[in-house]
Amino acid sequence: MFTLLSNLTLSALISASTLANPTTPKSESFGASAYVSVDHKIRVAVVKPADASAEILLRDADHQVVFRQSLSRKDEKVSLKLNVDELADGKYELEVKSGEGSFRKQLDLSSQPVQQTNRVVAMQ
């Protein structure tokens, strides 16, 4: 019996925050956001100062890195789409880190088998 990914649930991936010091706001600050798209992919957007580097990490429950992307210093705005279809069900952590701060979100990947509806057709 085939088990297909029919429903991918990712929790707590809605908004972004910055970790700049609130008492001394900077005109150039680090910001990141992540959300789940309609096609069950994770979209990540990062805004950072041009002279700062950043890194995007996806870790499994054992803290093993399953995805890593380094962002160059010259890129100020970056957006990615992460395909998580091949990852096993379980808990994951998405982290975007820079010298200015970090952004972490917890993910919960789960799949549910597709249920087939049995249909009976009767003729008299």
Side-chain angles (χ1 to χ4, degrees):
M1 180 176 219
F2 291 107
T3 303
L4 301 174
L5 285 174
S6 66
N7 188 4
L8 180 66
T9 305
L10 299 174
S11 61
L13 256 183
I14 301 299
S15 64
S17 64
T18 60
L19 295 178
N21 186 349
T23 58
T24 57
K26 296 180 180 180
S27 61
E28 297 182 71
S29 64
F30 168 75
S33 66
Y35 66 92
V36 180
S37 65
V38 173
D39 57 351
H40 303 294
K41 309 250 185 305
I42 301 171
R43 289 197 167 263
V44 180
V46 179
V47 177
K48 62 178 191 57
D51 61 345
S53 62
E55 188 172 40
I56 300 171
L57 300 164
L58 183 63
R59 293 186 190 97
D60 63 11
D62 297 327
H63 301 289
Q64 299 295 318
V65 176
V66 295
F67 175 81
R68 175 179 298 196
Q69 171 97 24
S70 296
L71 307 178
S72 75
R73 291 183 178 270
K74 65 181 178 178
D75 294 331
E76 293 181 30
K77 295 179 181 179
V78 177
S79 66
L80 309 168
K81 187 191 289 189
L82 303 176
N83 184 351
V84 295
D85 288 342
E86 300 297 320
L87 294 177
D89 290 353
K91 301 225 182 265
Y92 292 85
E93 178 184 66
L94 176 69
E95 179 180 17
V96 180
K97 62 181 181 177
S98 173
E100 302 241 342
S102 69
F103 167 83
R104 289 184 182 189
K105 289 292 179 181
Q106 302 300 314
L107 311 173
D108 186 26
L109 299 179
S110 63
S111 36
Q112 299 174 350
V114 174
Q115 296 179 355
Q116 294 181 346
T117 305
N118 292 331
R119 190 169 155 182
V120 177
V121 178
M123 187 181 296
Q124 294 182 355

